[in-house]
Amino acid sequence: MARFLLGRAATLALVLFGASVLIFLVVRALPGDPAIAMMTSNATPAEIQAMREALGLHLPLWQQYLTWVGGAVTGDLGRSFMYSNGVAAMIAERFPVTLHVSLVALAIAMAIAIPAGVLSARYKGGALDHMFRVVAMIGISMPVFWQGLLSILLFAVILGWLPPGGYQPLSAGLGLSTAHIILPAVALGTAYAATITRMLRSSMLDVLGREHIAVARAHGVPERTIIWTDAFRNALIPTLTAAGFSFGYLLAGAVLTEVIFNLPGMGRLLYESILSRDYPLVQGLVLLNVTLFVLINFGMDALYAVLDPRIRR
Amino acid sequence: MDGMIGRRGALTGLAGILAAASLPRSAGAQPRGTVTASLLGNLPNIHPWHVGNVETAAANLLAYSNLLKVGVDGSLQPDLAVALPQITDDGLNYTFELRRDVRFHNGDRLTAEDVLYSYEKYLSTGRRRGNLRRFIADVQKDGDYVVKVSLKEPWVGWMRLMGYEAAIVRRGSDVTNDTATGENLYRGSRMAGCGPFIPKNFQADVGVEFEAFPGYFGGAPATQTIKLVRIPDAATQLANLRTGSVDIISNCPPKDFAPVSREAGFGGAVRPSAGIFYMPMNVAKAPFDNINLRRAVSCAVDRDYICEEIYSGLVTASALPASPNEFWYEEDLAKQLAYDPDRAKFHLRAAGMPRGFAFEAIVPVPSAYVEAREAAVVMQANLAEVGIRMNIRQTDFVSMYRSAQNGDWQAFPHPSMQSSVEDYLIWNNYHKDGNQAQWMGYRNPAYDTAVMESFRYLDEARKKPALRKVSEILVDHCPALWIGRLNAYHLWRADVSGFGPRYSYFMDLTSAKKG
Amino acid sequence: MPEPLFEVRDLVTRFRSEGGEIRPSRGVSFHIAAGEVLGLVGESGSGKSVTARASIRLQQPESATIGGELFFRGQDLRKLDAEALRGLRAKQIAMVVQDPAAALNPVMTIGDQLTRIHRLHGGSEAEAREAALLLLRRMRIAEPESRLAAYPHQLSGGMRQRVLIALALICRPSLLIADEPTTALDVTVEAEILALLDELRRELGMAMLMISHNLSVIGRICDRVAVMYAGRIMEEAPTQALLATPRHPYTMALLASVPRGTKRDGPLPAIPGEPPDLARLPPGCPFQARCPGAAPQCTAEQPLRDIAPGRKAACWRAEAA
């Protein structure tokens, strides 16, 4: 176990190092200059140069990189150009929002996708399957922001049941917090539910065509047991990959959803930071996303081992 | 960026549905004594010396006061000063007398010492101080309640910036380690101002809450709490207004403005502002180094159509920098550049290109005020009718300015929200010392002289001849396609009073109240 | 003739594929008496596996439709509802297939898979476990206790096949469908498993439908043999009679292709020509294209008919041969 963890930690370190170099260079390859972004068009070239020096952008690249990475290993991700606050502190403020929405969205996605995927495979070609297919197509092709706006229109403006946006942490009370989180979580969750449903349906169909299902049927195992015990558990394994990546994307933040529902999450912060060429903030956010993706991958591996005895050692 | 455009188009459509949806409800109604207003753009700080957009300006106005302020119609009004200043005949020396009843948020009394301190800090740390630093030579006090400002060159326009970007703070109350990237910028300043409200909770990009300052020299504010919340989408702002979770919204899709403002339960108003929608052309580079081609472009664009169809009348069409309702608008000059395809063809022939030419327009997205891309598409169609091909390149503002500063541009149609036309359009763009003049590429000593002459006077009648000269030169050389002047417009719930759009575009919530 | 345990009349299966409608079984009839072993032999692609599975209403693929009559102890399986069919399968029918690695659920332990079949008949977990242990011992599996906790991937191929047979026998069925049960095994293991299967079959008095493309396997344990080609039964006879005096040209070709002197065959040594495309069959005898004695009469339908006591064939010159 210790060896396993050590190996994983080494992988993470390697990925983070590679990612840090890449992020650092890509951010700087963006056209435009953070100093200009901060000063806008009214500044003179001398003022812009002064700003560049204040931001440390006049230093050679390797020196800028070492400063950043040197801080990052001690947990200091530097200061945002635009907000002037510590990047780590800003992330600490924004990440709980995104994590909260993502978890609720994932729960909604799975709550929809599991029955929908299993039932549409069970009744392949039937009315239920066609209905789920149509709904999933709508779910996939309808942009999240559009679904979001429609849901705001219906539930906030017309019915007045839910607030039209904003974020309330759990500490503000479960009811209030949930009322704020539910619409964006549904908007995000249904989008991913569509993908996961299709994935689960096709792996269910794959498993249902396997020999052990025929044998179980020949031996009179009840259909319900065949679906949920024999087929579902086997079909869940590839589906988890899709769900894991979905969760990774959710954690990176969803810009449009955060804009429409006015959630101060990671996606919006990243979007703003790219627009304003806020190098330290972009770097910190992307590095966090990379870390989360790697960690989710580790978590998935652990889950596979639980679900699939063939993977266990 | 393309995604943003598609979304904006779709939002406009949905906003129509929203507009027709229902009567307002009060699901998220705020407690009495609180007015909540939404902002579209980012609110990275509430530092008085780092105002960078209309959002930070709105926050600044609540907490800080200056010697003068800009009234709703753009006129200068005394604020911390008892009256407008005495100005010497050479236009270089300004004498302000301070009110004696002003207290800072920390209870201290205002004296001339604080004004000196504030200007010194302001001029040395601000982000956008090009013009003030360029003009202000010295600030002196004469006793505790008289402040004298001397300029290097005469320019009455500097006073307008006071109500926008500068602030008077209690000396020594700012954080000592005040670098450009100080913690205080983010968390909100702990500096004591003397405005009607005191900043409480500030969360960058999310919102800020102000509490009434009972000791405000203008009398205690009517509202106990003012909240500014960021809602970065115009259609969503409208939804929030309808549910009552905000009382005032900064933006809404242009098409929704008129219908919603007429609905029972809502209010709204429009006012001309200093903002402009225009397309500078790079006079230092082909094809627009040819004056006839610039004129051809100017005559080929149907401004009325753009302003009515794309902006629902919220941009006032004008072929000149001045709006038709401003004192320095010149009807006869406007005609020379007005929409007239035959005249456009005439200019093309004069340029030796009767069959037209092609150029690239950089269109910024996303754009806070107007649907710049939709407008650009109409321009494209207009221009095509006379054989001019406008290729659109979309990019964000930072990239756009980068291209501009490298001289790597031909034209870029964009909206600009400004506190003063004088400061921005007349000076910045084309005067040889203007901050944008370097990349605008325009040089004309006669123009510079005319501008400096107009800067000497505050009085419109005395200003007008010089501005006539300025307009003549601009029309003659046509360094930009002027499309129209932006109007400031806001919507609010009917129970809100004491609030309206302003010439300076950003929101003044100092006297807003409910009930 | 006594009432057969299992009788299939005019079984037709069909499903749609890209090439058109496929009918892997085209009017197949056979019967099995209690305790009898019927072999179903043919080249791969002849439809024998689909036919055998369809005979107990297992559709493969799931979109396939089944026609005909399927009498089990005088009851038509096609008229049973899903629950009654399931109950019948649970008590009376079992299936062993070719690939034990695929036929066992990879994420369930051997013990769980065995006991849950036993428990379909009621009884406690402890009883089921006892029965499973007994059967594993009977299948000559070493250390049966520890095997119960194992997953299929932890066992060898031969061991998995024994487990699969145990799975089939644990409910003491009266009919076993054995779909190429030893094809995936090597020769020595194959002989061992076949012997074991035959031994247990006799002990339980179980009837069996043995599907194989391997005539030597068929010869060893079957009482009667039905030869299938392109979805039809071409010849049916007692095993010894069929092997000694085949009457249908296809049976003859099949026998001729078995290499003499070796027990083991690979894929069948060539019968000249290609197996027919099931989506595009010619009228009349499906074997005519490859038949050395093909004649104009072959384009007429060749029904399976009695040619001698206990023998049937579907060829107009079966008697002459």
Side-chain angles (χ1 to χ4, degrees), chain A residues 39-61:
Chain A
M39 315 271 294
T40 75
S41 61
N42 281 13
T44 63
E47 287 169 324
I48 289 170
Q49 188 52 35
M51 181 58 84
R52 288 179 59 82
E53 281 171 24
L55 298 175
L57 295 170
H58 62 299
L59 299 171
L61 272 188

Side-chain angles (χ1 to χ4, degrees), chain A residues 41-42 85 94 262 272 277, chain B residues 183 205 230 399 435-436:
Chain A
S41 61
N42 281 13
N85 192 36
R94 297 300 190 92
N262 193 27
E272 298 281 354
R277 306 294 187 272
Chain B
E183 186 83 25
D205 187 36
R230 183 174 184 216
S399 303
N435 296 330
Q436 294 191 170

Side-chain angles (χ1 to χ4, degrees), chain B residues 115-433:
Chain B
V115 178
L116 262 55
Y117 176 84
S118 299
Y119 271 86
E120 184 191 316
K121 296 288 279 192
Y122 169 58
L123 291 175
S124 62
T125 56
R127 288 184 182 178
R128 305 178 63 206
R129 299 298 58 77
N131 287 349
L132 282 186
R133 211 177 290 160
R134 167 82 178 73
F135 282 93
I136 293 181
D138 194 24
V139 183
Q140 294 290 337
K141 64 169 184 163
D142 181 4
D144 278 350
Y145 295 101
V146 173
V147 174
K148 297 187 172 207
V149 178
S150 49
L151 303 184
K152 295 170 188 163
E153 286 176 86
W155 179 43
V156 292
W158 77 276
M159 292 186 290
R160 238 180 261 284
L161 295 180
M162 277 196 284
Y164 176 52
E165 297 169 330
I168 305 300
V169 302
R170 176 65 175 146
R171 65 182 184 278
S173 68
D174 54 327
V175 179
T176 45
N177 182 22
D178 181 28
T179 61
T181 56
E183 186 83 25
N184 58 325
L185 259 178
Y186 170 67
R187 281 297 162 199
S189 168
R190 283 183 290 271
M191 280 179 278
C194 46
F197 289 88
I198 307 171
K200 287 291 171 192
N201 305 309
F202 170 69
Q203 210 189 339
D205 187 36
V206 175
V208 56
E209 194 175 324
F210 293 90
E211 232 171 53
F213 173 43
Y216 177 55
F217 65 87
T223 301
Q224 173 59 27
T225 306
I226 301 270
K227 285 182 183 172
L228 302 178
V229 294
R230 183 174 184 216
I231 301 179
D233 178 87
T236 312
Q237 285 204 7
L238 188 52
N240 276 266
L241 183 73
R242 288 189 175 281
T243 63
S245 56
V246 299
D247 303 303
I248 300 170
I249 59 174
S250 65
N251 295 62
C252 72
K255 282 183 175 51
D256 292 322
F257 173 76
V260 176
S261 64
R262 282 193 298 266
E263 270 179 50
F266 295 103
V270 189
R271 179 182 281 281
S273 86
I276 189 160
F277 185 46
Y278 74 134
M279 182 176 83
M281 293 176 272
N282 190 348
V283 299
K285 192 175 169 181
F288 292 125
D289 53 352
N290 184 332
I291 189 168
N292 288 307
L293 295 183
R294 302 200 294 268
R295 286 175 179 154
V297 165
S298 194
C299 293
V301 171
D302 185 354
R303 298 168 181 81
D304 289 331
Y305 182 86
I306 292 174
C307 293
E308 283 312 311
E309 296 303 316
I310 308 288
Y311 303 119
S312 304
L314 294 170
V315 174
T316 303
S318 172
L320 298 179
S323 163
N325 54 36
E326 280 177 324
F327 75 91
W328 57 296
Y329 181 78
E330 306 284 356
E331 183 79 40
D332 57 327
L333 295 179
K335 276 185 186 145
Q336 296 184 32
L337 296 179
Y339 176 52
D340 183 347
D342 289 335
R343 192 188 278 253
K345 286 175 191 159
F346 166 80
H347 288 308
L348 283 174
R349 282 194 299 275
M353 295 187 187
R355 309 187 62 170
F357 66 103
F359 70 97
E360 180 189 72
I362 303 177
V363 177
V365 283
S367 166
Y369 183 84
V370 280
E371 323 292 278
R373 182 179 174 270
E374 284 82 342
V377 170
V378 173
M379 288 164 59
Q380 202 173 36
N382 284 163
L383 290 164
E385 279 175 29
V386 297
I388 302 173
R389 188 185 156 113
M390 173 170 127
N391 299 311
I392 295 178
R393 173 155 72 95
Q394 294 179 59
T395 183
D396 65 323
F397 265 98
V398 178
S399 303
M400 182 180 97
Y401 284 127
R402 181 71 176 184
S403 297
Q405 293 199 324
N406 291 339
D408 174 25
W409 66 286
Q410 294 178 342
F412 69 84
H414 69 290
S416 183
M417 275 166 278
Q418 297 299 331
S419 54
S420 139
V421 173
E422 273 183 301
D423 173 40
Y424 183 73
L425 266 176
I426 295 181
W427 168 266
N428 265 353
N429 280 353
Y430 306 119
H431 188 280
K432 69 176 166 54
D433 295 326

Side-chain angles (χ1 to χ4, degrees), chain C residues 6-11 28-31 51 55 69-71:
Chain C
F6 186 40
E7 184 173 5
V8 170
R9 284 188 206 147
D10 209 19
L11 174 64
V28 175
S29 301
F30 60 82
H31 58 89
T51 301
S55 73
E69 291 169 310
L70 313 166
F71 289 103

